[in-house]
Amino acid sequence: MSAETPSDDAISPACASPAPSPTKGSRASPVAAGAPASPILSIERLSAAYDGSLPVLEDVSLELARGELVAVLGANGAGKSTLLRTLSGLLPCLAGRIIFEGVDITRLAPDRRVVRGLVQVPEGRQMLAALTVEENLLLGGYVHRRDPAGLRRTLDEVFALFPRLSERRTQAAGLLSGGEQQMVALGRAMMGRPRALLLDEPSFGLAPKVVSDTFRVIDGLRSSGLPILLIEQNASKALAVADRAVVLRAGRVVARGTAAELAASEEVRRSYLGD
Amino acid sequence: MSTTARTDRIVPSDRTSRHAPGSRISSLAFAAMAALGLCSAAQAQEPIKLGILLTHVGPTAIFARYEDKGARMRIDEVNRAGGIKGRRIEVIGYDTEGKPDRAGTLFRRLAQEDKVSAVIGPDSIYVLLGMSSVPTESKVFSMAAPGNYELVPMKDRQWVASAWTANGYTMVLGLAWLKDKLRVGRVGMLTTADSIGEMIGREATDTAKMLGMEMVQVLAQPASDRDLLPSLTKLNGMKPGIEGLVVFGSGPYGTIAMNQTDLAGVNVPILYIGGNIIPELIKDVTPETGKRTFLTVARNVVADTLPASDPYIAAAKKFNADYQAKYKETPTQPSAVGYDMASTVIDAIENVGSDPVKIRDYIYTKQKDFPMAQGIRTNRTPSDAYGIDPRDVVVASIEGGRFVFKGYLKDSYKALGIKDEAITEQMRRFKMLAD
Amino acid sequence: MAEFLQVLFTGLSQGGIYALIGIGFSLVNMSTRVLNLAQGSYALLGGFVFLTLATRYGLPLWAALALVLVFVAMLGVVTERIVSLRVRPWRPISHDMAILTTLALVVVAEGAAFLIWGPDPQRGPALQRGVVNVLGAILIWQSVWMLVITLVIAAGLQWLLIRTWLGRSMRACAQNPLTAALLGIDVRRVGMAAFTLSAVIGALAGMLVSPITWLDYQIGGEFMLKGVLAYLLGGELAIAGPLVGGLVLGLVENLFLLFPGATGGLLKQVVPMALLIVMLVWRPQGLLGGPRAR
Ligand SMILES: Nc1ncnc2c1ncn2[C@@H]1O[C@H](COP(=O)(O)OP(=O)(O)OP(=O)(O)O)[C@@H](O)[C@H]1O
Ligand SMILES: [Mg+2]
């Protein structure tokens, strides 16, 4: 095991630059929104940008407690996927910290974060199209490759959860339907035995029936105690399963609260629930 | 060897005089005069400039290395003897890098900016063909060494001559030796699949016809090929079988072709054409193959095994000894060619001065029976820029990693009753002579 | 009959080398999406270092082989570093820049080889000297070994790609490097492994052919050309594509030598390029490749 910097009072040198001043929406302290005291993932005043562009995320703070499902809502281009990319280490952060299970992972390489149990299901499902379903799933367990027996067990569990995938295990993943691909994407993430799951728009491009099935699976995972950060444009579905939610606009948190509070909020209803 | 003792006394006088003890004294005196400021006529002592334009990269670089050494050796001799009428020779050397346009540009620079009296080079035919009009246009003589001068356009030949005697054609004439001494009648040929390989193929076919031999088939593989068994197996399958084989191709291609004849079962005499007349390129020829391989070479290459009665043995041996002493390496045919390129130009300057036009006129009209370190005499005329009798080379084979004298090409021609006119006529046909 | 067999043998042995170089292209291209033109330069440098160690310094062949493989593996790593020095996950590699960079490396390798080993062709020791006569055609033992080793390497790589985690992760990177990273795969390490592996394969090719074809400082470019041709001809199918492409190329090239007279040799030089153009127009995915999916 690599020795990580103790989290709580260590400040990552890369992110030591002063964060921009907080804006109206994020002024409320995270604790005030009802987050428990010891979160599994805490995002502290995070800013991020693509090469040379203006910051796409600015001063985002968010906490995910154990067993909790937090939804991140926002319009196209609000920076939702960017937030997940930064959490997974595909994009470096300009300022702020990411603490996962008490460890500062702000500067960790993407693969090291997966090893620690922070697993993402990316936008658009991202099948390894030419590889078989089984190979896709196995690669989800790449970080546990030294434990083949455990891997087999997890694979059986995934097949039990998605019997359809078992039937199609030798088929190229690229030839599956959208719903089946979503199953592979979720199953592949499960193979990594995540300690927290980041889901980027699981409903994207799926038929309503399949969306409902997917959300049932997500709800099931939450019930089994897996903390989930869920990104969605389909706000009503998301708020139906979420404990809490935040709303991103232009890279900043503009609203936050329990799922019920946000579902009741005029502004959220108008902008994201299509009322 | 008894021949060595004899030749030491019959070294041509024009060469030895430059090594006489007196010359060193005169050059010392000259240096002292210069140091004391006694050289009043400053312009008169201005150095004579000669350009050396050779190809130091690519597959032919190995030849240029020897040519460069040979040429500089001749120039050093002159300078150590006090120069030409008190004027030292200054060398300006450039590398064509095997690129014709670069060679053209460098030649112009030598002529116009460096103001050289003549240029030694270029050596490679590929380079020369791409720039052969430049010497004519800049009115500076190019003492080149293309193995296939016949490819140079007629209009450019007035300002370009070749110092390379053992060119493709003279080598092809080795067929006469095969017929005369080894009674070879049916021959096959393996050449390179490019324009020069094809031209040599035509020359060999034509020569075979002139000699009353039958060229059964000419096969070609790309010069980059190293597995020549497909062609050799095919030649081996000819019915009735071939009695001799002509191989053209320089570098590994040639060596490999010779060696693989053993494998393919083509155990017939080989006439090798292609200029691998340097130790590096024959060291891999197997002894069995070497013994039945014949090539035509300059005399200096086989000086040790020449008959003592050879008319040019002295010049060849003298060159070899001097070269060996200077560079501590075995002299090769290109070493002698380099020396001869420089000699030809220097002889002209000694006689008519450093004016480029006069140098050219002298070489083409007055320089008669000029002795070459290759062991040959040259008589260039405006229609014949080689200036050598192609039958004047000798035949050698490869034994113990070296070239060994086997006979004179002239004798075989005499024995076969080939007329001078037939040769001249053939040279005209191949554009080696201008009409 | 003997004539035909001879062309077959020659074609297969040349094709085997084209295949090895092509496989190197394939490994790197599938893992990093970079067409590493320096592939032939590993053969050049590996072959030259080997023959120098074995003939000039008289090292036992296995020791020379080991040193060369270590040396060339480092070259592979260096290439990867240079090519992807400024690449980040959110900014994928620029293919034009990468290819130009590897082209520059070809020139550097050529220059270095010229300075170190000079202009003369050289060759290294053979695994087994001599020939065997098969129905009137000649089979050079070194060619036999060359082909055998090529097939063994191809089979080994196929096994690696299908059965091992390194192979699976290479295929994952081929499909989608970002996803691979999200699965916990260290994409750069995989790229480096691919470069190292391909460099080692290139060097093996160089060492194997040098007793037959000799090496000179310019041969890296020739290998590169034939390897790319094999790779494009066979298709992107990781190992089978370039393997088949290389063998087909070698056979087709040499079949032309069956033409009478000097025509065959001329055709042999022109036809491979013509073949490539025909392929790119009629079957751009190569002989074995499925529809080219990106
Ligand atoms: N690779 C990239 N390079 C530069 N800018 C990018 C890149 N990816 C996204 N952006 C920009 O960052 C901003 C946020 O994009 P992001 O993908 O995070 O939005 P999103 O909230 O996920 O939107 P959507 O709902 O459409 O998925 C956008 O303005 C987008 O143009
Ligand atoms: Mg998005």
Side-chain angles (χ1 to χ4, degrees), chain A residues 1-26:
Chain A
M1 272 263 95
S2 55
E4 303 298 341
T5 326
S7 64
D8 290 356
D9 34 32
I11 292 174
S12 164
C15 299
S17 54
S21 59
T23 50
K24 185 179 60 179
S26 63

PDB file of all heavy atoms in Angstrom, chain A residues 1-26:
ATOM      1  N   MET A   1       0.850  -1.214   0.000  1.00  0.00           N
ATOM      2  CA  MET A   1       0.000   0.000   0.000  1.00  0.00           C
ATOM      3  C   MET A   1       0.872   1.245   0.000  1.00  0.00           C
ATOM      4  O   MET A   1       1.869   1.326   0.698  1.00  0.00           O
ATOM      5  CB  MET A   1      -0.861   0.032   1.273  1.00  0.00           C
ATOM      6  CG  MET A   1      -2.180  -0.688   1.150  1.00  0.00           C
ATOM      7  SD  MET A   1      -3.511   0.408   0.777  1.00  0.00           S
ATOM      8  CE  MET A   1      -3.714   0.378  -0.915  1.00  0.00           C
ATOM      9  N   SER A   2       0.489   2.184  -0.785  1.00  0.00           N
ATOM     10  CA  SER A   2       1.279   3.404  -0.834  1.00  0.00           C
ATOM     11  C   SER A   2       0.893   4.292   0.354  1.00  0.00           C
ATOM     12  O   SER A   2      -0.259   4.324   0.769  1.00  0.00           O
ATOM     13  CB  SER A   2       1.006   4.126  -2.149  1.00  0.00           C
ATOM     14  OG  SER A   2      -0.368   4.342  -2.286  1.00  0.00           O
ATOM     15  N   ALA A   3       1.888   4.948   0.862  1.00  0.00           N
ATOM     16  CA  ALA A   3       1.630   5.831   2.008  1.00  0.00           C
ATOM     17  C   ALA A   3       1.073   7.153   1.498  1.00  0.00           C
ATOM     18  O   ALA A   3       1.740   7.856   0.759  1.00  0.00           O
ATOM     19  CB  ALA A   3       2.923   6.056   2.787  1.00  0.00           C
ATOM     20  N   GLU A   4      -0.124   7.442   1.835  1.00  0.00           N
ATOM     21  CA  GLU A   4      -0.729   8.682   1.351  1.00  0.00           C
ATOM     22  C   GLU A   4      -0.595   9.762   2.422  1.00  0.00           C
ATOM     23  O   GLU A   4      -0.416   9.476   3.598  1.00  0.00           O
ATOM     24  CB  GLU A   4      -2.215   8.458   1.044  1.00  0.00           C
ATOM     25  CG  GLU A   4      -2.467   7.365   0.044  1.00  0.00           C
ATOM     26  CD  GLU A   4      -1.851   7.655  -1.323  1.00  0.00           C
ATOM     27  OE1 GLU A   4      -1.548   8.807  -1.594  1.00  0.00           O
ATOM     28  OE2 GLU A   4      -1.663   6.717  -2.095  1.00  0.00           O
ATOM     29  N   THR A   5      -0.717  10.971   1.991  1.00  0.00           N
ATOM     30  CA  THR A   5      -0.689  12.078   2.933  1.00  0.00           C
ATOM     31  C   THR A   5      -1.929  11.979   3.838  1.00  0.00           C
ATOM     32  O   THR A   5      -3.027  11.795   3.333  1.00  0.00           O
ATOM     33  CB  THR A   5      -0.776  13.417   2.181  1.00  0.00           C
ATOM     34  OG1 THR A   5      -0.094  13.262   0.951  1.00  0.00           O
ATOM     35  CG2 THR A   5      -0.208  14.538   2.986  1.00  0.00           C
ATOM     36  N   PRO A   6      -1.726  12.093   5.123  1.00  0.00           N
ATOM     37  CA  PRO A   6      -2.912  12.112   5.999  1.00  0.00           C
ATOM     38  C   PRO A   6      -3.813  13.256   5.564  1.00  0.00           C
ATOM     39  O   PRO A   6      -3.344  14.356   5.268  1.00  0.00           O
ATOM     40  CB  PRO A   6      -2.329  12.354   7.391  1.00  0.00           C
ATOM     41  CG  PRO A   6      -0.866  12.074   7.281  1.00  0.00           C
ATOM     42  CD  PRO A   6      -0.487  12.242   5.858  1.00  0.00           C
ATOM     43  N   SER A   7      -5.061  13.005   5.550  1.00  0.00           N
ATOM     44  CA  SER A   7      -5.952  13.907   4.843  1.00  0.00           C
ATOM     45  C   SER A   7      -6.229  15.232   5.538  1.00  0.00           C
ATOM     46  O   SER A   7      -6.011  16.291   4.971  1.00  0.00           O
ATOM     47  CB  SER A   7      -7.279  13.206   4.624  1.00  0.00           C
ATOM     48  OG  SER A   7      -7.837  12.972   5.906  1.00  0.00           O
ATOM     49  N   ASP A   8      -6.633  15.162   6.768  1.00  0.00           N
ATOM     50  CA  ASP A   8      -7.421  16.255   7.306  1.00  0.00           C
ATOM     51  C   ASP A   8      -6.781  17.629   7.260  1.00  0.00           C
ATOM     52  O   ASP A   8      -7.343  18.572   6.715  1.00  0.00           O
ATOM     53  CB  ASP A   8      -7.885  15.920   8.708  1.00  0.00           C
ATOM     54  CG  ASP A   8      -8.923  14.811   8.646  1.00  0.00           C
ATOM     55  OD1 ASP A   8      -9.266  14.425   7.499  1.00  0.00           O
ATOM     56  OD2 ASP A   8      -9.372  14.332   9.676  1.00  0.00           O
ATOM     57  N   ASP A   9      -5.528  17.738   7.760  1.00  0.00           N
ATOM     58  CA  ASP A   9      -4.997  19.095   7.759  1.00  0.00           C
ATOM     59  C   ASP A   9      -3.907  19.303   6.713  1.00  0.00           C
ATOM     60  O   ASP A   9      -3.375  20.384   6.597  1.00  0.00           O
ATOM     61  CB  ASP A   9      -4.494  19.473   9.152  1.00  0.00           C
ATOM     62  CG  ASP A   9      -3.922  18.270   9.860  1.00  0.00           C
ATOM     63  OD1 ASP A   9      -3.369  17.393   9.124  1.00  0.00           O
ATOM     64  OD2 ASP A   9      -4.026  18.165  11.074  1.00  0.00           O
ATOM     65  N   ALA A  10      -3.581  18.257   5.956  1.00  0.00           N
ATOM     66  CA  ALA A  10      -2.574  18.441   4.897  1.00  0.00           C
ATOM     67  C   ALA A  10      -3.204  19.171   3.715  1.00  0.00           C
ATOM     68  O   ALA A  10      -4.305  18.861   3.289  1.00  0.00           O
ATOM     69  CB  ALA A  10      -2.052  17.098   4.427  1.00  0.00           C
ATOM     70  N   ILE A  11      -2.464  20.162   3.221  1.00  0.00           N
ATOM     71  CA  ILE A  11      -2.965  20.871   2.043  1.00  0.00           C
ATOM     72  C   ILE A  11      -2.092  20.484   0.865  1.00  0.00           C
ATOM     73  O   ILE A  11      -0.878  20.584   0.921  1.00  0.00           O
ATOM     74  CB  ILE A  11      -2.933  22.396   2.272  1.00  0.00           C
ATOM     75  CG1 ILE A  11      -3.967  22.757   3.330  1.00  0.00           C
ATOM     76  CG2 ILE A  11      -3.215  23.127   0.982  1.00  0.00           C
ATOM     77  CD1 ILE A  11      -3.942  24.186   3.735  1.00  0.00           C
ATOM     78  N   SER A  12      -2.755  20.031  -0.151  1.00  0.00           N
ATOM     79  CA  SER A  12      -1.994  19.599  -1.319  1.00  0.00           C
ATOM     80  C   SER A  12      -1.303  20.799  -1.945  1.00  0.00           C
ATOM     81  O   SER A  12      -1.936  21.820  -2.191  1.00  0.00           O
ATOM     82  CB  SER A  12      -2.937  18.956  -2.322  1.00  0.00           C
ATOM     83  OG  SER A  12      -2.306  18.873  -3.563  1.00  0.00           O
ATOM     84  N   PRO A  13       0.000  20.686  -2.217  1.00  0.00           N
ATOM     85  CA  PRO A  13       0.732  21.832  -2.752  1.00  0.00           C
ATOM     86  C   PRO A  13       0.152  22.314  -4.086  1.00  0.00           C
ATOM     87  O   PRO A  13       0.154  23.507  -4.352  1.00  0.00           O
ATOM     88  CB  PRO A  13       2.155  21.311  -2.933  1.00  0.00           C
ATOM     89  CG  PRO A  13       2.131  19.864  -2.605  1.00  0.00           C
ATOM     90  CD  PRO A  13       0.826  19.516  -1.998  1.00  0.00           C
ATOM     91  N   ALA A  14      -0.342  21.399  -4.878  1.00  0.00           N
ATOM     92  CA  ALA A  14      -0.837  21.803  -6.192  1.00  0.00           C
ATOM     93  C   ALA A  14      -2.070  22.683  -6.067  1.00  0.00           C
ATOM     94  O   ALA A  14      -2.357  23.495  -6.938  1.00  0.00           O
ATOM     95  CB  ALA A  14      -1.193  20.585  -7.020  1.00  0.00           C
ATOM     96  N   CYS A  15      -2.789  22.511  -4.989  1.00  0.00           N
ATOM     97  CA  CYS A  15      -4.068  23.194  -4.893  1.00  0.00           C
ATOM     98  C   CYS A  15      -4.053  24.244  -3.804  1.00  0.00           C
ATOM     99  O   CYS A  15      -5.085  24.629  -3.268  1.00  0.00           O
ATOM    100  CB  CYS A  15      -5.179  22.188  -4.631  1.00  0.00           C
ATOM    101  SG  CYS A  15      -5.284  20.993  -5.965  1.00  0.00           S
ATOM    102  N   ALA A  16      -2.832  24.696  -3.483  1.00  0.00           N
ATOM    103  CA  ALA A  16      -2.727  25.622  -2.360  1.00  0.00           C
ATOM    104  C   ALA A  16      -3.105  27.042  -2.750  1.00  0.00           C
ATOM    105  O   ALA A  16      -3.272  27.893  -1.894  1.00  0.00           O
ATOM    106  CB  ALA A  16      -1.301  25.617  -1.818  1.00  0.00           C
ATOM    107  N   SER A  17      -3.239  27.290  -4.034  1.00  0.00           N
ATOM    108  CA  SER A  17      -3.559  28.653  -4.442  1.00  0.00           C
ATOM    109  C   SER A  17      -4.930  29.037  -3.888  1.00  0.00           C
ATOM    110  O   SER A  17      -5.827  28.206  -3.803  1.00  0.00           O
ATOM    111  CB  SER A  17      -3.567  28.748  -5.960  1.00  0.00           C
ATOM    112  OG  SER A  17      -4.425  27.782  -6.490  1.00  0.00           O
ATOM    113  N   PRO A  18      -5.078  30.297  -3.529  1.00  0.00           N
ATOM    114  CA  PRO A  18      -6.326  30.717  -2.891  1.00  0.00           C
ATOM    115  C   PRO A  18      -7.518  30.496  -3.835  1.00  0.00           C
ATOM    116  O   PRO A  18      -7.450  30.808  -5.012  1.00  0.00           O
ATOM    117  CB  PRO A  18      -6.108  32.197  -2.610  1.00  0.00           C
ATOM    118  CG  PRO A  18      -4.925  32.600  -3.428  1.00  0.00           C
ATOM    119  CD  PRO A  18      -4.127  31.382  -3.684  1.00  0.00           C
ATOM    120  N   ALA A  19      -8.535  29.934  -3.300  1.00  0.00           N
ATOM    121  CA  ALA A  19      -9.728  29.696  -4.102  1.00  0.00           C
ATOM    122  C   ALA A  19     -10.460  31.002  -4.342  1.00  0.00           C
ATOM    123  O   ALA A  19     -10.389  31.911  -3.521  1.00  0.00           O
ATOM    124  CB  ALA A  19     -10.642  28.721  -3.377  1.00  0.00           C
ATOM    125  N   PRO A  20     -11.133  31.106  -5.474  1.00  0.00           N
ATOM    126  CA  PRO A  20     -11.909  32.318  -5.731  1.00  0.00           C
ATOM    127  C   PRO A  20     -12.976  32.505  -4.656  1.00  0.00           C
ATOM    128  O   PRO A  20     -13.390  31.534  -4.020  1.00  0.00           O
ATOM    129  CB  PRO A  20     -12.552  32.051  -7.091  1.00  0.00           C
ATOM    130  CG  PRO A  20     -11.939  30.814  -7.633  1.00  0.00           C
ATOM    131  CD  PRO A  20     -11.252  30.116  -6.535  1.00  0.00           C
ATOM    132  N   SER A  21     -13.405  33.716  -4.477  1.00  0.00           N
ATOM    133  CA  SER A  21     -14.347  33.983  -3.387  1.00  0.00           C
ATOM    134  C   SER A  21     -15.664  33.268  -3.659  1.00  0.00           C
ATOM    135  O   SER A  21     -16.107  33.153  -4.794  1.00  0.00           O
ATOM    136  CB  SER A  21     -14.588  35.487  -3.283  1.00  0.00           C
ATOM    137  OG  SER A  21     -15.107  35.941  -4.506  1.00  0.00           O
ATOM    138  N   PRO A  22     -16.269  32.763  -2.643  1.00  0.00           N
ATOM    139  CA  PRO A  22     -17.501  31.999  -2.808  1.00  0.00           C
ATOM    140  C   PRO A  22     -18.625  32.871  -3.369  1.00  0.00           C
ATOM    141  O   PRO A  22     -18.652  34.077  -3.146  1.00  0.00           O
ATOM    142  CB  PRO A  22     -17.832  31.520  -1.400  1.00  0.00           C
ATOM    143  CG  PRO A  22     -16.774  32.050  -0.492  1.00  0.00           C
ATOM    144  CD  PRO A  22     -15.879  32.933  -1.254  1.00  0.00           C
ATOM    145  N   THR A  23     -19.475  32.257  -4.094  1.00  0.00           N
ATOM    146  CA  THR A  23     -20.577  33.017  -4.662  1.00  0.00           C
ATOM    147  C   THR A  23     -21.850  32.763  -3.871  1.00  0.00           C
ATOM    148  O   THR A  23     -21.880  31.934  -2.963  1.00  0.00           O
ATOM    149  CB  THR A  23     -20.813  32.609  -6.110  1.00  0.00           C
ATOM    150  OG1 THR A  23     -20.901  31.208  -6.149  1.00  0.00           O
ATOM    151  CG2 THR A  23     -19.704  33.076  -7.001  1.00  0.00           C
ATOM    152  N   LYS A  24     -22.851  33.437  -4.297  1.00  0.00           N
ATOM    153  CA  LYS A  24     -24.132  33.409  -3.605  1.00  0.00           C
ATOM    154  C   LYS A  24     -24.596  31.978  -3.320  1.00  0.00           C
ATOM    155  O   LYS A  24     -24.855  31.612  -2.182  1.00  0.00           O
ATOM    156  CB  LYS A  24     -25.158  34.125  -4.493  1.00  0.00           C
ATOM    157  CG  LYS A  24     -26.510  34.297  -3.871  1.00  0.00           C
ATOM    158  CD  LYS A  24     -27.421  35.040  -4.843  1.00  0.00           C
ATOM    159  CE  LYS A  24     -27.575  34.286  -6.129  1.00  0.00           C
ATOM    160  NZ  LYS A  24     -28.452  34.909  -7.109  1.00  0.00           N
ATOM    161  N   GLY A  25     -24.623  31.188  -4.356  1.00  0.00           N
ATOM    162  CA  GLY A  25     -25.235  29.864  -4.254  1.00  0.00           C
ATOM    163  C   GLY A  25     -24.520  28.942  -3.289  1.00  0.00           C
ATOM    164  O   GLY A  25     -25.153  28.142  -2.618  1.00  0.00           O
ATOM    165  N   SER A  26     -23.186  29.033  -3.242  1.00  0.00           N
ATOM    166  CA  SER A  26     -22.466  28.058  -2.449  1.00  0.00           C
ATOM    167  C   SER A  26     -22.117  28.600  -1.072  1.00  0.00           C
ATOM    168  O   SER A  26     -21.315  28.030  -0.363  1.00  0.00           O
ATOM    169  CB  SER A  26     -21.186  27.649  -3.186  1.00  0.00           C
ATOM    170  OG  SER A  26     -20.362  28.783  -3.322  1.00  0.00           O
TER     171      SER A  26
END
